[in-house]
Amino acid sequence: MAFAAPPNPSAATSSTTGNTRYTDFPMAMAVLTTIFFMWGFLTVLNDILIPHLKAVFELNYARAMLVQFTFFGAYFLMSLPAGRLVAALGYKKGIIAGLAIAALGAFGFWPAAQLQSYAAFLGALFVLATGITVLQVAANPYVALLGPERTSSSRLTLAQAMNSLGTTLGPLFGGLVILAAVSAGVPEAVRKAPETVQLVQTINNAAPADVVNAIQQAPADRLVAALNDASGASLDRLPAAPLTATLAHLPPEQLANVLDKLSGDVLLDTLSAQSPQQLAALPANRLTDALDKLIASRLDSAQAARLSALRASLLPETQQQLQDYRQKQAQMVQVPYLGLGLALLALAVGVGLFKLPALTESTEQADAGQHTLLDALRHPHVLFGVLAIFFYVGAEVSIGSFLVNYLSLPTIGHMSEQQASHYVSMYWGGAMVGRLAGSFLLVRFNPRRLLATFAAIAALLLLTTILTNGPVAMVSVIAIGLFNSIMFPTIFALGIERMGPLTGKASSLLIMAIVGGALLPWAQGFLADSIGVQHAFVLPLLCYGYIVFYGLRGSLIRTATPVASR
């Protein structure tokens, strides 16, 4: 997720001609790569924050996607002010300012959690994103200027690889400290007992009638252990009525351990069969998660009415326990983001104390007063490139934003949100691997054709995940990260190709197009609420279709290279 503008080649220092070194300032380069890592880490945490806040505030998908709308909307609203700030302060002070602003936003999560206000969370997130926008504007050209011009692209690629490392590790961190789940609590001896293993095999392989007979005769502890180890697909094919009747007789402490394994229909029937006193005996965290799962399910009107009646039947003390648990969940983001804020401040202090080269001669873009953004937009390959960045970032962020909820679906991964967070890390990790491999491929193959090929493969993978279920759908959607890898830098390079004195203006337009990461996930949220999470992936599918067009036709240069005004 290294949304970065390459520097204007004309801004490079002329003194580097003939310089054979990779970088003139190796320690400065080390400091800057750490900053790239941090903003990748912070950006991808949104993919963990979305399902967490969705559950805490009982949001639909459209409202939950306001997280990405707020974060990437800051790129659009604050990129030009950030550019003016960096022009006034210089690169080093601009980086310090960006780190300080991002730290302020991270600290804002503490009062937001205390207030239990979704709007306050979004406000803190906007401040955090503003700081990262300033970092984007300051750090990317600064990295490119830290050595010979001929190796500037290589330095940016290295920094972006560190950014990808941050996006890979972020979901693991978020899943551990934000989506921390309580284990099922089934004793290991019971899980590994021969009778339990045999029951699991029966559930997974036997005919539904035989499975029903087996689970009706199984002791409660063996049944709970087997249901936790059986595949979700096997449970989904069982008739709901006998399974619900069997579960209804489990003690509350045993029933609590299987609620997350049940599909929506069986879960609603099972909870509805419990008395208010039995529901009160369920642990608050398990009951809350079960209700959240039902809220996220696509219920028909009759089922929605049953769910409302179920919630209304809860005893007052049960409702208070659920409210207390939600407040505790909201506060789970306080310590992680406090720690991140302190880390950002420490980085800001480190950058301030470190003697980074000023490079003040390259702070202003050449020819800034003679051309406008509209002049750059008149070139078709720039206009099509702006749209390509908009659709690419929107598609990439949309997929990442929905992965946790999508993989948790009974028909896809049937897993907890914490388990799903590991696969989010694989999605972003694929981008890191693909970026390293793509830098090798781009030297040997036409970048336009390679871009179109990668986009076409991503589209086919999305089509597969829309039309299939289970492991095939899981693998196909996660693999898209690998083919996302080269898209942003390739589109960017093609979008500013042969723009001469308008390169800076074209770059600014392409940066502003990152707002696609704000709008398209929000639009996909509306689709998910209407047609389901799985079929809502048709929106990023169309985005990749456009990128295929851009690679084959839209990126072709149709106008002459601009000439600088005299």
Side-chain angles (χ1 to χ4, degrees), residues 399 403 406-407 411-412 423 426-427 430 454-484 534 537 541 544:
I399 294 170
L403 266 185
Y406 177 64
L407 296 177
T411 56
I412 305 301
Y423 292 96
M426 292 175 63
Y427 171 75
F454 273 43
I457 294 173
L460 288 174
L461 289 170
L462 262 181
L463 186 63
T464 301
T465 204
I466 291 172
L467 299 178
T468 60
N469 293 311
V472 174
M474 284 181 56
V475 171
S476 59
V477 73
I478 294 168
I480 293 170
L482 180 65
F483 296 96
N484 278 339
Q534 185 172 17
F537 281 119
L541 173 63
Y544 287 119

Side-chain angles (χ1 to χ4, degrees), residues 71 74 78 82 98 101-102 125-135:
F71 190 90
M78 305 306 294
I101 294 170
L125 196 64
F126 184 85
V127 176
L128 175 64
T130 298
I132 294 178
T133 302
V134 176
L135 288 176

Side-chain angles (χ1 to χ4, degrees), residues 377-394:
L377 206 57
R378 290 193 178 100
H379 295 267
H381 72 287
V382 177
L383 174 60
F384 290 136
V386 168
L387 292 174
I389 290 291
F390 178 90
F391 289 128
Y392 163 69
V393 176

Side-chain angles (χ1 to χ4, degrees), residues 73-379:
Y75 277 90
F76 182 78
L77 295 175
M78 305 306 294
S79 59
L80 294 181
R84 288 193 289 269
L85 179 66
V86 173
L89 297 179
Y91 289 122
K92 177 179 176 179
K93 291 182 179 178
I95 290 170
I96 294 172
L99 289 169
I101 294 170
L104 181 63
F107 292 145
F109 278 70
W110 190 283
Q114 290 297 117
L115 293 171
Q116 281 192 275
S117 168
Y118 187 47
F121 273 111
L122 294 180
L125 196 64
F126 184 85
V127 176
L128 175 64
T130 298
I132 294 178
T133 302
V134 176
L135 288 176
Q136 291 270 23
V137 172
N140 285 287
Y142 191 73
V143 166
L145 293 167
L146 286 175
E149 182 179 349
R150 64 181 182 82
T151 55
S152 61
S153 297
S154 180
R155 285 191 298 277
L156 278 171
T157 300
L158 175 61
Q160 290 175 1
M162 286 297 293
N163 182 277
S164 295
L165 179 62
T167 62
T168 302
L169 297 180
L172 299 178
F173 171 83
L176 181 65
V177 301
I178 296 177
L179 295 181
V182 180
S183 62
V186 178
E188 193 70 13
V190 177
R191 290 183 65 247
K192 293 186 176 181
E195 297 86 352
T196 304
V197 174
Q198 179 58 48
L199 183 56
V200 171
Q201 294 175 350
T202 299
I203 295 173
N204 287 339
N205 302 313
D210 294 332
V211 176
V212 170
N213 183 57
I215 64 176
Q216 287 176 338
Q217 298 180 15
D221 58 345
R222 308 249 186 249
L223 174 60
V224 171
L227 291 177
N228 273 280
D229 288 346
S231 71
S234 298
L235 295 178
D236 293 339
R237 65 187 176 89
L238 298 179
L243 178 58
T244 300
T246 301
L247 296 175
H249 293 94
L250 290 176
E253 64 272 12
Q254 297 278 16
L255 178 62
N257 289 331
V258 298
L259 291 178
D260 64 334
K261 293 289 291 185
L262 304 179
S263 63
D265 292 347
V266 176
L267 179 59
L268 179 58
D269 290 343
T270 300
L271 292 179
S272 298
Q274 305 294 304
S275 68
Q277 290 73 24
Q278 289 173 312
L279 292 173
L282 292 172
N285 64 308
R286 295 299 177 84
L287 180 56
T288 302
D289 292 344
L291 293 174
D292 290 340
K293 184 175 181 178
L294 288 172
I295 292 170
S297 301
R298 296 183 64 203
L299 303 177
D300 58 32
S301 57
Q303 291 172 324
R306 289 179 61 199
L307 176 59
S308 297
L310 171 65
R311 299 181 69 180
S313 70
L314 297 176
L315 297 175
E317 54 266 31
T318 305
Q319 295 180 6
Q320 183 61 48
Q321 289 174 354
L322 297 185
Q323 182 178 346
D324 293 343
Y325 174 70
R326 290 192 186 281
Q327 182 174 4
K328 180 181 177 181
Q329 288 295 98
Q331 293 170 349
M332 285 186 69
V333 302
Q334 288 180 313
V335 173
Y337 275 88
L338 176 63
L340 291 170
L342 292 174
L344 289 166
L345 280 185
L347 268 177
V349 172
V351 171
L353 295 176
F354 195 82
K355 292 184 178 180
L356 294 176
L359 302 180
T360 53
E361 71 279 5
S362 300
T363 302
E364 295 288 343
Q365 293 286 341
D367 206 38
Q370 302 176 23
H371 289 98
T372 66
L373 295 175
L374 188 59
D375 291 329
L377 206 57
R378 290 193 178 100
H379 295 267

Side-chain angles (χ1 to χ4, degrees), residues 12-100:
T13 55
S14 59
S15 61
T16 59
T17 303
N19 193 337
T20 59
R21 287 179 294 181
Y22 179 75
T23 174
D24 295 325
F25 307 97
M27 291 303 296
M29 184 69 186
V31 172
L32 267 294
T33 54
T34 304
I35 293 171
F36 273 73
F37 171 87
M38 278 300 297
W39 88 49
F41 192 94
L42 288 164
T43 300
V44 81
L45 275 183
N46 291 347
D47 294 346
I48 304 302
L49 201 60
I50 286 169
H52 183 74
L53 296 181
K54 182 179 186 298
V56 169
F57 295 105
E58 300 185 60
L59 307 172
N60 60 21
Y61 285 110
R63 290 193 66 206
M65 287 303 140
L66 287 176
V67 169
Q68 299 292 34
F69 182 85
T70 299
F71 190 90
F72 288 96
Y75 277 90
F76 182 78
L77 295 175
M78 305 306 294
S79 59
L80 294 181
R84 288 193 289 269
L85 179 66
V86 173
L89 297 179
Y91 289 122
K92 177 179 176 179
K93 291 182 179 178
I95 290 170
I96 294 172
L99 289 169

